[in-house]
């Protein structure tokens, strides 16, 4: 198949969406499919408000249409709800083409946290956006239940995987820091609720790996924590394995690939009982601890079985996830239009 993926999240961005799409494309291409990912790097861009490290495409519609038609896909998947996702949706709806979407990020919660905008307003937009899709891919059962409660339909499972050759148990002595070592790895941004972790009174070392717009602010306000900044994959895997507990303070992620990376490294997880952790760790108390009190979760995770963590992570392969993705795709064809319906009158750019 010739598979087109349109995403506002793409290299050089570093996040779970980019990693998921990169690994999925890699597996698809190994199987002989031709995969094109259209991201913001192909367009004129502007920094995202409040997060300048992410750039958004400016008025991409006409250029995007040319690229779609030049590629001539057999299936179209729209990964995100940003300017590129909106433009791809417009193209498909104008031409009555079947497409799929994915719900990677809880944008309504992010927006509510930053602006106070009522959740029902943001969810109304998200329902409209995904409502035109032949299938909305979601990573976990709890996310599917939550979206169903908000009125979403056509939900399909698309789980996540982990590279168990890269993330694996290794010697812990590479870090000369007081133990226990509590690790957070990911974007250093207020949306991830990192401050809930940094405020904890814990013996040992709080270690933060990653970069983001709030890094310098947290570094100044929490000098007792160790901020390692951005690490390349080889070093990152070593830091994962060297930790004693992986702390995941986010309340708004839809999955959390880092949970699998920690467990593949033999490191137990401490988190809140929310979407992602509740699906992965919840049924397996031997690999971590979930609690509304994050400090209790951290202390409860100490001493959990590294072997059990590794064995659970081995169940999550990118091949299995790609099977789900392929099964959820819809061949590019004209959507059925109700009798008497008229073409879309959405305005042009």
């Amino acid at each position: 198949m010739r598979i087109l993926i349109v995403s506002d999240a793409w290299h050089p961005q570093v996040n779970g969406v980019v990693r998921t799409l990169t690994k999925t494309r890699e597996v698809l291409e190994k199987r002989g499919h031709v995969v094109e990912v259209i991201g913001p790097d192909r367009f004129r861009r502007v920094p995202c408000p409040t997060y300048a490290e992410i750039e958004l495409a400016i008025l991409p519609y006409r250029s995007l249409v040319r690229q779609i038609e030049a590629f001539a896909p057999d299936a179209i998947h729209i990964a995100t709800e940003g300017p590129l996702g909106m433009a791809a949706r417009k193209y498909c709806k104008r031409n009555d083409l079947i497409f799929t979407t994915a719900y990677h990020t809880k944008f309504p919660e992010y927006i509510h946290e930053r602006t106070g905008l009522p959740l029902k307003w943001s969810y109304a937009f998200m329902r409209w956006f995904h409502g035109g899709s032949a299938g909305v891919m979601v990573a976990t059962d709890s996310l599917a239940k939550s979206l169903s409660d908000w009125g979403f339909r056509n939900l399909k499972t698309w789980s996540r995987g982990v590279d168990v050759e890269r993330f694996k148990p290794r010697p812990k002595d590479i870090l000369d820091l007081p133990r226990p070592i509590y690790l957070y790895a990911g974007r250093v941004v207020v949306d991830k609720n990192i401050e809930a972790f940094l405020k904890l009174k814990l013996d040992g070392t709080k270690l933060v790996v990653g970069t983001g717009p709030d890094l310098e602010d947290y570094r100044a306000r929490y000098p007792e924590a160790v901020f390692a900044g951005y690490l390349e994959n080889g070093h990152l895997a070593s830091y994962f394995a060297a930790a004693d507990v992986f702390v995941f303070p986010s309340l708004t992620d839809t999955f959390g690939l880092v949970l699998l990376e920690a467990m593949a490294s033999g490191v137990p997880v401490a988190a809140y009982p929310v979407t992602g952790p509740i699906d992965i760790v919840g049924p397996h108390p031997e690999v971590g601890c979930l609690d509304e009190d994050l400090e209790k979760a951290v202390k409860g995770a100490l001493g959990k079985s590294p072997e059990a963590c590794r064995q659970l992570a081995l169940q999550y392969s990118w091949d299995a996830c790609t099977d789900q993705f392929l099964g959820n795709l819809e061949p590019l064809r004209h959507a059925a239009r109700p009798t008497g319906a008229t073409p879309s009158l959405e305005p042009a750019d």
Side-chain angles (χ1 to χ4, degrees):
M1 292 179 68
R2 297 177 63 80
I3 301 168
L4 177 68
I5 300 173
V6 180
S7 178
D8 295 274
W10 192 237
H11 299 284
Q13 296 176 34
V14 179
N15 55 51
V17 178
V18 174
R19 291 209 304 283
T20 296
L21 296 178
T22 299
K23 291 300 296 185
T24 300
R25 182 175 73 168
E26 180 182 307
V27 176
L28 288 169
E29 289 178 339
K30 284 181 179 177
R31 296 182 182 184
H33 299 284
V34 179
V35 184
E36 183 91 341
V37 180
I38 298 180
D41 54 310
R42 301 188 182 191
F43 302 85
R44 290 184 298 118
R45 300 176 300 281
V46 64
C48 177
T50 76
Y51 201 162
E53 295 172 9
I54 292 179
E55 294 187 315
L56 302 175
I58 303 173
L59 299 175
Y61 184 76
R62 289 187 175 87
S63 176
L64 179 65
V65 169
R66 288 193 294 270
Q67 293 179 53
I68 292 174
E69 294 182 346
F71 180 65
D74 297 314
I76 295 178
H77 176 70
I78 303 174
T80 54
E81 304 92 347
L84 284 176
M86 289 285 291
R89 183 189 186 280
K90 178 192 289 188
Y91 172 79
C92 291
K93 297 299 285 184
R94 281 185 168 179
N95 292 280
D96 299 312
L97 297 176
I98 293 286
F99 62 96
T100 57
T101 59
Y103 198 98
H104 286 284
T105 307
K106 290 186 174 180
F107 278 123
E109 284 77 5
Y110 285 161
I111 294 169
H112 176 73
E113 189 71 26
R114 287 175 175 269
T115 68
L117 189 74
L119 285 172
K120 64 179 182 180
W121 294 3
S122 299
Y123 269 109
F125 165 77
M126 299 294 265
R127 248 190 335 269
W128 168 81
F129 182 92
H130 293 281
S133 168
V136 186
M137 302 190 202
V138 296
T140 66
D141 290 341
S142 66
L143 178 59
K145 173 63 167 60
S146 173
L147 292 177
S148 180
D149 290 344
W150 279 103
F152 286 68
R153 299 292 178 263
N154 297 326
L155 300 169
K156 300 185 178 185
T157 301
W158 178 28
S159 189
R160 300 293 181 266
V162 61
D163 185 340
V164 295
E165 294 303 316
R166 174 175 294 161
F167 294 95
K168 59 187 178 182
R170 304 168 187 263
K172 291 187 178 290
D173 57 5
I174 68 158
L175 295 178
D176 185 19
L177 297 170
R179 290 193 179 271
I181 295 175
Y182 313 98
L183 172 67
Y184 166 85
R187 290 186 294 134
V188 183
V189 59
V190 67
D191 303 326
K192 297 294 186 180
N193 197 33
I194 302 172
E195 201 158 14
F197 166 51
L198 294 173
K199 285 179 176 179
L200 296 180
K201 303 298 183 184
L202 300 169
D203 294 330
T205 303
K206 286 177 281 189
L207 174 62
V208 175
V209 172
T211 188
D214 298 306
L215 175 60
E216 295 308 319
D217 177 48
Y218 288 144
R219 182 176 271 153
R221 292 197 289 122
Y222 297 97
E224 75 284 1
V226 176
F227 293 85
Y230 174 77
L231 296 176
E232 295 291 342
N233 279 329
H235 291 299
L236 177 63
S238 296
Y239 271 60
F240 265 98
D244 297 297
V245 174
F246 184 80
V247 184
F248 188 75
S250 176
L251 297 169
T252 55
D253 274 60
T254 58
F255 190 87
L257 285 176
V258 286
L259 300 176
L260 296 183
E261 292 166 353
M263 291 189 297
S265 305
V267 177
V269 171
Y272 292 105
V274 296
T275 297
I278 205 168
D279 299 274
I280 304 166
V281 180
H284 305 280
E286 68 275 14
V287 303
C289 185
L290 308 181
D291 201 290
E292 295 289 356
D293 183 328
L294 190 59
E295 184 173 333
K296 289 182 179 178
V298 170
K299 293 177 178 178
L302 271 173
K304 295 287 186 174
S305 168
E307 295 78 15
C309 293
R310 176 72 177 174
Q311 287 304 309
L312 181 59
L314 289 173
Q315 298 177 26
Y316 289 84
S317 75
W318 284 112
D319 271 310
C321 299
T322 304
D323 287 341
Q324 291 178 327
F325 179 80
L326 271 174
N328 293 337
L329 282 182
E330 291 285 345
L332 196 65
R333 62 184 188 276
H334 288 288
R337 180 182 292 170
T339 303
T342 56
S344 169
L345 296 179
E346 293 181 83
D349 289 334

